[in-house]
Amino acid sequence: MAVCARLCGVGPSRGCRRRQQRRGPAETEAADSEPDTDLEEERIEAGAAALCGEWGGRSASPSPPPRCSLLELPPELLVEIFASLPGTDLPSLAQVCTKFCRILHNDTIWRRRCREEYGVCENLRKLEITVLHRYRHILGLWQPDIGPYGGLLNVVVDGLFIIGWMYLPPHDPHVDDPMRFKPLFRIHLMERKSATVECMYGHRGPHNGHIQIVKKDEFSTKCNQTEHHRMSGGRQEEFRTWLREEWGRTLEDIFHEHMQELILMKFIYTSQYDNCLTYRRIYLPPSHPDDLIKPGLFKGTYGSHGLEIVMLSFHGKHARATKITGDPNIPAGQQTVEIDLMHRIQLPDVENLCNFNELSRIVLEVHEQVRQEQQQQPEDRTEDDEGAGPPTEKVGEPRNEEAAALKEEPVQFVLPVGVSSRNENYPRTCRMCFYGTGLIAGHGFTSPERTPGVFILFDDDRFGFIWLELKSFSLYSRVQATFRNADAPSPQAFEEMLKNIQSLTS
């Protein structure tokens, strides 16, 4: 029994776990007060030791190492061990024995768990463990289900609250400006019996809300006091306030009639979701040292739709930009741009580049070449599209040394005459260009099709895309904000996430 108890790690006085479960509280307390070994067990161990001593004189084999229980380790070592365990395992560990429970009152353990799991340095040991466990799964990066418009939400521990921050692109067309953000909800962590959820939407302060975890990677929020979202001036005042926050201007400043219609449509549509929203988890793309640039989130210009957020990721011989926020033509979740890393485009000199027909001729030649290659090797393309990671080196594919050489020799760049751009302050030099396709569609995502275009890499934080059919240019700038708990657990999980968000709007 002593050996069994030592293997359990609680000492022989408590017996094995199976026998413990049959005892009542009084029996367990009485057992805890007993000495570590009884006389029968001491006699057995003494006899075993004597027998080992006899055989030890006849054999040259070394004696077995002394047994050591986890309870015999010094407290400072146990603190280090316990501090490395997940926070949700510590309450169960504290119930093993009095010594473990006493050690788990050490603030060092809880500070480390809060720092590593929640990103805060405060000592949250006194928080109700059930509260932390209940909401820990909503920490991370999420995309709200707001029809075609989508969004970007980061749920983090901020001081003594769990706060959901909605990230918004800067006002159009200032693509290089930092992201804007506002709180949508917060959860109080300093309450012992239950955690108060507050809705932060509106202009009348925090008010009662509710959060429901639907399943592993999905949760929903609900406002229980929607009157806090209303304004005394009615819908007209609400629209003007929303317009100033969303676009940084008034309706009188927007002269384009089509743009006015799109703005009004977005306000009417998104207002339906001000009291209840569902969120689905998304991840930041995994990176690889051989990637063209670091993958991640970018802000991009999309004509009358304003600025939108896309996610750049690399998949073998292709790179893709997936919409995190969208519009009625191309909704959130769709792949707005796909770059063929196997087909570079050599831009003409600046004088000829100004001629749109010359650029169009070059791109269409590559487009035809790609089409023929796809017909010859359709199975290879399917296999490559499903893969993840950097492009593999094959015949016709540039080596890393060549890519590095091109990065060191930027060339002049200018938009061809007739190509429209929301932002004229684009870079005038670029590193390299690739053939790519852009997704276009009618209102309501009708008749979607991929059309040829040019991907232009300006630097580590900016790229562009020329849509030949639309004669339009989109400029993208990296989102510099830091998002917590947003890394994908594996490349496969990221790929699955991309498929899921795309299927929701297909």
Side-chain angles (χ1 to χ4, degrees):
M1 179 58 68
V3 176
C4 175
R6 286 195 179 95
L7 290 176
C8 290
V10 297
S13 65
R14 288 158 181 77
C16 67
R17 296 187 186 273
R18 185 174 297 277
R19 192 172 69 184
Q20 256 191 316
Q21 293 173 359
R22 294 197 295 265
R23 290 176 176 170
E27 294 174 333
T28 302
E29 184 177 354
D32 288 347
S33 62
E34 294 176 1
D36 283 351
T37 57
D38 55 30
L39 295 178
E40 181 65 24
E41 288 175 340
E42 287 180 355
R43 285 196 297 270
I44 294 174
E45 289 186 357
L51 186 60
C52 288
E54 284 186 25
W55 286 99
R58 304 174 189 177
S59 172
S61 61
S63 60
R67 300 185 182 94
C68 180
S69 169
L70 191 62
L71 287 170
E72 297 174 7
L73 295 177
E76 57 272 17
L77 185 56
L78 290 176
V79 168
E80 286 298 315
I81 294 174
F82 294 168
S84 302
L85 299 175
T88 50
D89 291 346
L90 299 183
S92 300
L93 188 62
Q95 298 176 6
V96 171
C97 64
T98 305
K99 181 175 182 179
F100 284 7
C101 184
R102 185 172 62 250
I103 290 175
L104 283 167
H105 277 75
N106 190 306
D107 287 349
T108 302
I109 298 174
W110 295 94
R111 285 196 185 98
R112 179 170 168 184
R113 296 319 318 143
C114 291
R115 183 178 65 252
E116 294 183 2
E117 296 186 30
Y118 299 99
V120 294
C121 298
E122 289 88 349
N123 176 21
L124 303 181
R125 174 175 57 85
K126 295 183 180 180
L127 295 180
E128 192 71 27
I129 295 301
T130 56
V131 172
L132 288 177
H133 177 68
R134 180 181 179 185
Y135 291 110
R136 63 178 285 134
H137 297 297
I138 71 171
L139 299 178
L141 209 57
W142 302 83
Q143 185 183 51
D145 183 7
I146 315 179
Y149 298 103
L152 182 65
L153 181 86
N154 193 203
V155 182
V156 299
V157 173
D158 194 341
L160 298 178
F161 300 94
I162 291 179
I163 301 183
W165 293 98
M166 178 70 86
Y167 280 79
L168 307 169
H171 293 139
D172 180 58
H174 308 292
V175 70
D176 288 323
D177 286 358
M179 295 281 284
R180 299 174 294 130
F181 50 91
K182 62 179 181 180
L184 288 194
F185 62 84
R186 71 180 183 185
I187 305 168
H188 291 253
L189 290 179
M190 288 305 294
E191 298 170 357
R192 293 187 173 276
K193 293 186 178 180
S194 62
T196 298
V197 178
E198 292 179 323
C199 176
M200 306 289 286
Y201 189 86
H203 300 271
R204 296 167 60 179
H207 46 283
N208 185 258
H210 175 72
I211 289 180
Q212 179 182 3
I213 300 177
V214 180
K215 52 186 178 181
K216 178 183 177 184
D217 292 325
E218 184 176 325
F219 76 97
S220 62
T221 58
K222 181 180 180 181
C223 176
N224 296 328
Q225 294 176 292
T226 54
E227 63 272 12
H228 283 68
H229 304 176
R230 309 281 79 88
M231 290 186 169
S232 58
R235 297 289 281 173
Q236 187 174 5
E237 182 184 358
E238 294 171 12
F239 172 66
R240 292 186 177 276
T241 303
W242 175 86
L243 187 58
R244 285 194 301 269
E245 294 177 351
E246 186 82 8
W247 292 82
R249 62 183 79 178
T250 63
L251 194 61
E252 291 76 13
D253 297 332
I254 303 172
F255 302 105
H256 198 290
E257 184 177 350
H258 179 58
M259 193 173 188
Q260 291 180 352
E261 294 175 354
L262 292 173
I263 291 174
L264 184 59
M265 184 188 309
K266 184 174 183 179
F267 170 74
I268 295 174
Y269 194 97
T270 56
S271 297
Q272 305 173 36
Y273 294 85
D274 64 351
N275 66 328
C276 186
L277 270 177
T278 299
Y279 302 86
R280 295 177 178 87
R281 186 181 297 279
I282 60 175
Y283 301 112
L284 292 178
S287 60
H288 191 276
D290 292 337
D291 289 340
L292 195 63
I293 58 173
K294 182 182 177 181
L297 297 174
F298 289 78
K299 306 153 285 184
T301 56
Y302 280 88
S304 300
H305 298 293
L307 298 187
E308 299 182 10
I309 305 172
V310 304
M311 179 184 290
L312 179 68
S313 56
F314 292 90
H315 310 261
K317 295 182 290 187
H318 296 82
R320 295 172 185 145
T322 303
K323 280 196 173 187
I324 302 302
T325 63
D327 53 67
N329 291 75
I330 306 298
Q334 293 298 317
Q335 293 174 8
T336 175
V337 171
E338 182 170 355
I339 305 106
D340 189 338
L341 300 177
M342 291 291 290
H343 292 86
R344 289 184 179 170
I345 290 181
Q346 185 68 37
L347 293 179
D349 53 52
V350 175
E351 294 183 359
N352 290 326
L353 183 57
C354 291
N355 186 342
F356 176 79
N357 293 331
E358 178 65 16
L359 177 64
S360 180
R361 180 190 62 81
I362 295 174
V363 175
L364 291 178
E365 286 180 357
V366 179
H367 176 71
E368 180 61 24
Q369 178 185 350
V370 171
R371 189 186 65 81
Q372 293 178 1
E373 291 175 357
Q374 291 175 352
Q375 290 178 346
Q376 294 173 359
Q377 298 176 332
E379 65 282 355
D380 291 346
R381 174 173 171 79
T382 302
E383 182 178 343
D384 291 332
D385 286 347
E386 294 176 353
T392 55
E393 186 173 342
K394 294 184 179 180
V395 177
E397 183 177 9
R399 296 185 301 273
N400 290 338
E401 311 89 70
E402 297 174 353
L406 282 177
K407 288 182 181 180
E408 296 172 359
E409 299 178 2
V411 297
Q412 287 186 315
F413 175 81
V414 64
L415 284 177
V417 176
V419 174
S420 62
S421 173
R422 294 287 298 172
N423 194 327
E424 295 297 333
N425 190 27
Y426 60 86
R428 293 308 194 266
T429 60
C430 68
R431 289 181 180 175
M432 59 184 77
C433 299
F434 291 89
Y435 165 80
T437 58
L439 184 62
I440 63 174
H443 186 84
F445 197 43
T446 56
S447 305
E449 62 174 323
R450 307 206 70 89
T451 61
V454 184
F455 170 85
I456 307 107
L457 178 63
F458 294 114
D459 51 44
D460 288 339
D461 297 322
R462 289 179 297 180
F463 65 88
F465 191 80
I466 298 178
W467 311 73
L468 288 187
E469 185 165 332
L470 302 178
K471 287 191 175 182
S472 177
F473 171 73
S474 292
L475 176 64
Y476 301 84
S477 178
R478 185 182 297 278
V479 173
Q480 300 292 349
T482 301
F483 300 101
R484 299 186 225 164
N485 307 299
D487 295 331
S490 66
Q492 293 76 17
F494 177 77
E495 293 287 341
E496 188 66 26
M497 180 272 299
L498 283 184
K499 293 178 182 178
N500 289 340
I501 65 174
Q502 184 179 9
S503 64
L504 295 173
T505 55
S506 295

